[in-house]
Structure formats: C-alpha cells, structure tokens
C-alpha cells in the first residue's frame, strides 16, 4: 500500500486470496503434494483516478500458504518482524515465517496489465457511476480509505442533489438518433434467399463470412422474434431454420416451476455452501449434473450460475451467489458453468451486476468507483467469462449511477464484449419495468429480452430506422451463434425442416384479447358519457 496509492485513492486489502488447492481424502500420516499456480494479474490494482487502468505497484510482495486469512496475515506480519505483543491486536497469534516467500517489484508498472487477455486496452469505462467523476453530481464523495479509517468512516447518509443532468439521465428513453452519425448506417439486407440454414453454421467461427449471408435471410419480424420473444424460451425462426429452444432458472438446481411436464430435477446445496468446499472439480461435476437435468427436461440454456458478491447479510439473493470473495466466487462460477456448457447447455451468469438487494431492486441506483466495481463486483463474472469463455449473462435491474445495467454501454460493450471477449447471448432480467427499453438494451450491446410479450418493448417504432435495425442484426448474430453451438441443435440434421406452427388456441386468445380491449374502450366511453350526463342533471336540479 504505497504512497502512490494514497495520493491517487487506490485502495488495497492487507491480504488477498490468489489461489487454492484441494487434496484428496488423506488417511492419518499420509501426505500429498499439490501445485497452486498464481497469476500476477491478480495482484494488479485498478487505478481509477491516476492512469485509469490496472497497475502493479513497486515494492515488496509476500506469498503465504495458510488455512485461512487470519493465519495468513499472522505469517506475513511475522515475516516483517512483528509479534502479537507489538501489533496492537492485528495478530491473533505468532506466525510461522517458513510458510512465506517474497519478491521485490522494482518499479511501478502501468503497462503490462493495462490490456486484457485478448489484447484490448483497458481504460475507465464506468465513470458515470462514480459521483466524483459524473458531471451530473454536485457533491464530492469521500470513499472509506485504509489510509485513514477514522477520518473517512461514514458518519451519516450521503445525499446527492437531483440536478437537471441527473434527471435527464434517469429518463427511460435512452435513444436519440441525432447522437449517431446516420450516414454511416444503411438499412441491412432483409428477407434474402441464400438457402443457408443454422445447421450449416455449427462449429463455424463467428467472423465467418457465411454468417452475414445467413443474417441477410432474416426479416425485421424475425429479428424482433429472436430478440424480444425470449421469455424462458427462444422462438423458432423459419427463414434461417433456427429451432425452438427452452431456457430456465437454476443456480442451485434446475427450477421446474415453469415446466409443464412432470420433470424430476436434482436440488443442490446453495452456492455459498458449494463455495465452502474450495473444490473446483466437485463443482464442475455439479455443473454436469445440472446440464443433464436440463437435457432430460428439454432445456438448452440455464439462467445461472449466480456471480454477485455477498456484501451484506441482507442480500436477498445470497443463496444464489458463492461468497464475499471475488476470486473464490469466480473460480467456483467458472467450474460450475464449464460443467454445464461442456454438455452443450448455454449458461447466463446473473445478475450482471451490483445486484445487492432483492426488495426495491428495480431501478435502484448504485454509485461506485471503478476500482471497487472491477476488483470486487465484476471480478467473479470476469474470471468465468474471460478465462473460461462461458456463454453470456443476464443483466440486473440495477442502475449504474443513472443508467440501467443492460443499457450501460461501458459495462456491456466495452468491458463484457471487448475486454473479456464474450461471444454469447446477453439477456435482460424479466421485463416488468419500463426502465428496460428496447433501444437502451440493444444500443448498449444486449441481445435479448426476457419479455412475456414482445409488444411490451414496442419494436414497431424502429422498423424503418437503419441504426436500430443494424444493431438488432448484430444482436441476432450473437443469439444465433450461441444457439448454433448449443444442445438446441441436438437432433437437427442437414435435411431437418423447422416449421413454426401456431397452436389453434392462440388465434382464439388473440381475438378474445382484441375483443376485450374494444369492450373496455366502449365501456369507458359510455361510463364517461354517463358521468357527464349525471353531472349536467345535478346542475339542472341545483
């Protein structure tokens, strides 16, 4: 924790978890040698207010093997020459220095870790969620700092002034075509007859030129179907011969609540219990069983695992998340998701991100600096998505500052897509708030909406908009790529024909809905007319 850190508000924990291993069951007197591989990237800190990327400080670094964090800090402090008597309670017992190894980093490194694993430059992407960087906030926030615990500890609630800029940014309409260079967008080809099927794309790279020919075959209504008609399922599309696929919840076991058939699924301990095992191999097998349950139930995508942090005992979804440690959570999530996806079932890690509460979570604005966001709240997602190439995410209801998670371009496009290289489909949580808008999600990089009725999102208004149609086409590319490389294609061959068949009851319900709407309009007009006449008669009597 250096002078540079203090001067630039870079925070550091006294100690971090950066690796672990599990022995086999050992009999008395037996032993086993295990190897723990450490990535120096996990030692880097995000320097929000200095260079705006990851840095590795100059100084002494210590590695220790220990059974818990208390033992680890005791051993490191002992290496520095401290004892229980001269640390004022910081050590619970004297440490064993034989378990500690150290090395010296000679100079501050601001370059090595400033690029992601795929070579993308890493810069500040979430400044609008930081009240000290967002121009729509008048106040300056003092973050709790290890350099001055007493002086920075909160003494009351932080109150932010509702400025005109903040009011505007909180509006749900997030699309203004004037903000785009419309001359760079042309209406994409639609309804072409190239004769390609989704089956032809299995195993092909996402950048293969045949994908563009396949996308040319989509009509505008096909795009709306692929993007908006995704409530626990993905509808079939004849023009590209994409099959129907079913998706369901299941961080701790497949949730069969929405499944009509009599399906028996395995219930597992909650994710926090899974994380307590520190056993990646075991959790990988949990993922495989989850995938088998999905396949038996005819499901092709699992809404899970959960990858948020335990930051408070009051977190309403803590049972769906692994732990309070980002590294452990990330490794557990990666193992479980890999077990699911190795069987061909897509995963959507949730809830991306900052979902720290359940009550009143819709529209909740979270204000946070980028170091805390990246090193704590996003790291578990990052490990699973960047290192293990898991499929995609389900966006949280949370706002980052004023912007809904799924409509945050810095989060979805810059970090998730570009930095972490995610090529899967990205879906919203259940569309039950007008905060989740079609334009907000699509322009930020979201590709699908968990919408009970596509009409809720009102895509019709964008039918002749080349900007939105182009972005919708890109979204369909991701959706179809994920579908083509999933268990949804099981049983699909080169001669298989996909036909969309409407159940006979659907038109009946549609006409009943129209009739009910017309009845409601007529009833409202008659009620208004009757009320007006009654008021006039009262006036006459007076």
């Amino acid at each position: 924790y250096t002078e540079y850190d203090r001067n630039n508000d870079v925070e550091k924990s006294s100690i971090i978890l950066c690796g672990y291993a599990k022995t086999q069951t050992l009999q008395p007197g037996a032993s086993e040698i295990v190897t723990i591989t450490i990535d120096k990237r996990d030692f880097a800190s995000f320097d929000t207010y200095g260079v705006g990327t990851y840095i590795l400080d100059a100084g002494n670094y210590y590695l220790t093997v220990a059974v818990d964090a208390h033992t680890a800090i005791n051993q490191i402090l002992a290496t520095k020459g401290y004892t229980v008597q001269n640390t004022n309670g910081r050590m619970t017992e004297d440490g064993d220095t034989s378990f500690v190894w150290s090395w010296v980093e000679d100079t501050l490194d601001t370059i090595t870790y400033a690029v992601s694993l795929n070579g993308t430059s890493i810069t500040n992407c979430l400044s609008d969620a930081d009240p000290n960087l967002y121009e729509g906030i008048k106040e300056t926030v003092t973050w709790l700092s290890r350099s001055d615990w007493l002086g920075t500890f909160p003494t009351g609630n932080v109150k932010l002034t509702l400025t005109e800029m903040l009011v505007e940014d909180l509006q749900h309409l997030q699309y203004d075509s004037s903000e785009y260079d419309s001359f760079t967008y042309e209406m994409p080809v639609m309804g072409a007859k190239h004769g390609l099927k989704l089956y032809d794309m299995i195993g092909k790279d996402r950048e293969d030129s045949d994908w563009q020919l396949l996308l040319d075959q989509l009509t505008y209504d096909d795009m709306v179907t692929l993007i908006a008609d995704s409530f626990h399922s993905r509808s079939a599309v004849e023009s590209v011969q994409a099959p129907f696929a079913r998706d369901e919840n299941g961080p701790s076991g497949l949730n069969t609540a929405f499944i009509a058939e009599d399906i028996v699924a395995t219930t597992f301990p909650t994710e926090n219990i899974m994380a307590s095992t520190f056993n990646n191999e075991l959790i990988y097998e949990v993922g495989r069983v989850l995938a088998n349950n999905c396949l038996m139930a005819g499901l092709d995508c699992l809404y899970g695992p959960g990858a948020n942090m335990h930051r408070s005992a009051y977190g309403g979804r803590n049972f769906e998340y692994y732990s309070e440690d980002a590294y452990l959570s990330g490794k557990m999530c990666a193992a479980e998701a890999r077990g699911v996806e190795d069987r061909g079932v897509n995963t959507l890690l949730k809830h991306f991100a900052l979902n720290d509460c359940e009550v009143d979570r819709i529209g909740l604005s979270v204000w946070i600096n980028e170091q805390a966001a990246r090193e704590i709240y996003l790291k578990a997602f990052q490990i699973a998505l960047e290192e293990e190439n898991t499929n995609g995410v389900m966006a949280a209801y949370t706002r980052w500052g004023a912007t809904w998670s799924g409509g945050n371009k810095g989060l979805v496009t810059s970090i998730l897509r570009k930095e972490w290289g995610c090529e899967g489909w990205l879906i919203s949580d259940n569309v039950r708030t007008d905060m989740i808008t079609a334009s907000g999600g699509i322009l930020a990089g979201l590709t699908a909406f968990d919408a009970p009725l596509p009409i809720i999102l009102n895509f019709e208004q964008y039918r002749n908009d080349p900007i939105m149609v182009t972005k919708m086409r890109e979204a369909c590319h991701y959706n179809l790529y994920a579908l083509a490389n999933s268990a949804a294609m099981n049983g699909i061959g080169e001669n298989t024909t996909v036909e969309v068949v409407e159940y006979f009851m659907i038109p009946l319900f549609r006409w009943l809905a129209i009739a009910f709407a017309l009845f409601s309009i007529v009833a409202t007009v008659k009620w208004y007319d009757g009320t007006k006449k009654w008021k006039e008669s009262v006036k006459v009597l007076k």
Side-chain angles (χ1 to χ4, degrees):
Y1 192 48
T2 66
E3 198 62 32
Y4 178 91
D5 296 332
R6 297 183 183 93
N7 292 337
N8 290 278
D9 295 326
V10 179
E11 292 300 325
K12 282 216 183 87
S13 171
S14 296
I15 194 166
I16 62 167
L17 177 67
C18 59
Y20 57 87
K22 194 82 171 179
T23 68
Q24 300 299 314
T25 302
L26 299 178
Q27 299 303 318
S31 66
E32 179 184 344
I33 295 175
V34 298
T35 300
I36 303 175
T37 302
I38 306 301
D39 189 341
K40 282 179 68 175
R41 184 175 292 271
D42 290 319
F43 303 153
S45 300
F46 195 85
D47 178 14
T48 305
Y49 305 110
V51 295
T53 190
Y54 284 99
I55 63 171
L56 188 67
D57 275 304
N60 298 322
Y61 286 79
Y62 299 86
L63 281 171
T64 186
V65 178
V67 295
D68 56 41
H70 297 292
T71 305
I73 201 69
N74 291 338
Q75 291 169 179
I76 289 176
L77 288 174
T79 304
K80 293 181 177 182
Y82 292 99
T83 65
V84 172
Q85 287 70 33
N86 65 8
T87 55
N88 193 26
R90 290 174 67 196
M91 294 176 72
T92 56
E93 60 183 24
D94 289 331
D96 186 341
T97 60
S98 67
F99 285 100
V100 181
W101 178 80
S102 65
W103 88 93
V104 177
E105 195 74 21
D106 293 325
T107 58
L108 171 67
D109 185 349
T110 62
I111 298 174
T112 303
Y113 306 103
V115 293
S116 67
L117 294 181
N118 65 15
T120 301
S121 295
I122 299 173
T123 59
N124 284 337
C125 296
L126 305 169
S127 297
D128 284 352
D130 186 338
N132 291 338
L133 296 178
Y134 172 60
E135 295 178 359
I137 294 292
K138 293 181 178 180
E139 293 77 14
T140 299
V141 172
T142 299
W143 301 112
L144 180 64
S145 174
R146 179 179 156 200
S147 64
D148 183 11
W149 288 120
L150 294 178
T152 59
F153 199 86
T155 56
N157 293 331
V158 175
K159 294 182 179 180
L160 303 178
T161 302
L162 193 62
T163 63
E164 288 186 10
M165 180 177 178
L166 181 54
V167 169
E168 182 178 349
D169 287 347
L170 284 167
Q171 303 304 308
H172 298 165
L173 299 176
Q174 299 171 353
Y175 173 51
D176 182 353
S177 59
S178 65
E179 297 177 356
Y180 291 80
D181 182 3
S182 58
F183 293 104
T184 63
Y185 290 87
E186 295 181 359
M187 189 64 76
V189 174
M190 290 181 281
K193 306 295 183 183
H194 297 308
L196 283 171
K197 299 180 179 181
L198 190 60
Y199 171 83
D200 301 323
M201 311 308 295
I202 296 175
K204 288 190 177 183
D205 188 85
R206 203 183 68 84
E207 300 304 320
D208 191 292
S209 59
D210 281 350
W211 275 107
Q212 297 306 317
L213 296 176
L214 183 82
L215 295 171
D216 286 348
Q217 296 175 196
L218 295 172
T219 66
Y220 183 79
D221 291 332
D222 290 337
M223 293 190 219
V224 174
T225 295
L226 285 168
I227 293 169
D229 195 2
S230 296
F231 181 69
H232 292 253
S233 66
R234 287 166 280 179
S235 295
V237 177
E238 287 189 18
S239 63
V240 293
Q241 292 291 285
F244 172 80
R246 296 179 67 179
D247 320 311
E248 197 47 76
N249 283 304
S252 300
L254 178 61
N255 187 333
T256 60
F258 289 119
I259 302 175
E261 293 87 353
D262 184 17
I263 296 295
V264 177
T266 309
T267 298
F268 292 96
T270 53
E271 287 191 1
N272 54 315
I273 303 299
M274 293 186 197
S276 299
T277 68
F278 283 80
N279 192 328
N280 293 357
E281 291 75 18
L282 178 65
I283 304 309
Y284 172 80
E285 293 301 329
V286 168
R288 284 175 63 85
V289 175
L290 265 171
N292 287 340
N293 287 173
C294 288
L295 294 172
M296 290 173 65
L299 301 172
D300 309 296
C301 179
L302 186 76
Y303 291 169
N308 279 301
M309 291 293 98
H310 289 194
R311 299 299 289 167
S312 162
Y314 299 106
R317 291 289 184 97
N318 277 353
F319 67 96
E320 287 193 356
Y321 308 139
Y322 294 100
S323 76
E324 73 282 10
D325 185 89
Y327 180 89
L328 175 62
S329 296
K331 293 298 183 181
M332 290 282 117
C333 181
E336 185 176 353
R338 188 172 66 252
V340 175
E341 293 196 359
D342 279 354
R343 304 289 288 164
V345 177
N346 291 154
T347 59
L348 294 176
L349 312 186
K350 62 181 192 179
H351 304 83
F352 189 69
L354 303 181
N355 188 63
D356 272 356
C357 68
E358 188 67 14
V359 177
D360 294 331
R361 65 184 173 134
I362 296 180
L364 173 70
S365 289
V366 177
W367 297 93
I368 188 172
N369 67 51
E370 191 151 346
Q371 184 191 10
R374 285 180 177 269
E375 293 187 33
I376 301 174
Y377 294 93
L378 295 180
K379 186 166 183 176
F381 291 97
Q382 179 181 3
I383 290 172
L385 289 158
E386 184 180 34
E387 297 181 12
E388 295 296 337
N389 196 30
T390 51
N391 187 257
V393 302
M394 172 181 284
Y397 286 118
T398 320
R399 295 177 189 267
W400 288 67
T403 307
W404 162 55
S405 292
N408 188 318
K409 190 172 182 179
L411 178 67
V412 179
T413 295
S414 298
I415 294 178
L416 183 63
R417 287 292 191 207
K418 293 182 179 179
E419 286 186 23
W420 300 351
C422 178
E423 292 188 329
W425 67 306
L426 314 176
I427 194 172
S428 74
D429 208 332
N430 193 347
V431 181
R432 53 193 180 99
T433 166
D434 59 357
M435 176 186 69
I436 298 177
T437 64
S439 59
I442 292 298
L443 294 174
L446 215 64
T447 67
F449 295 85
D450 187 15
L453 292 172
I455 196 172
I456 293 174
L457 294 157
N458 190 16
F459 271 94
E460 187 60 31
Q461 61 186 306
Y462 306 117
R463 185 177 289 271
N464 298 311
D465 184 332
I467 298 172
M468 273 295 291
V469 176
T470 299
K471 296 296 183 180
M472 289 169 65
R473 177 186 168 104
E474 293 173 4
C476 291
H477 189 175
Y478 283 110
N479 292 346
L480 290 171
Y481 179 74
L483 193 66
N485 295 286
S486 75
M489 301 302 289
N490 288 354
I492 303 291
E494 60 180 335
N495 296 319
T496 302
T497 300
V498 175
E499 293 183 3
V500 177
V501 179
E502 195 172 62
Y503 287 109
F504 73 95
M505 293 294 289
I506 298 297
L508 176 61
F509 284 127
R510 186 181 295 123
W511 284 111
L512 285 173
I514 294 172
F516 178 77
L518 291 173
F519 172 78
S520 299
I521 293 171
V522 172
T524 301
V525 171
K526 286 187 172 295
W527 171 82
Y528 176 79
D529 187 54
T531 302
K532 184 178 179 182
K533 290 180 179 178
W534 176 79
K535 288 181 178 180
E536 290 175 352
S537 66
V538 170
K539 288 180 182 179
V540 171
L541 290 173
K542 286 182 178 180

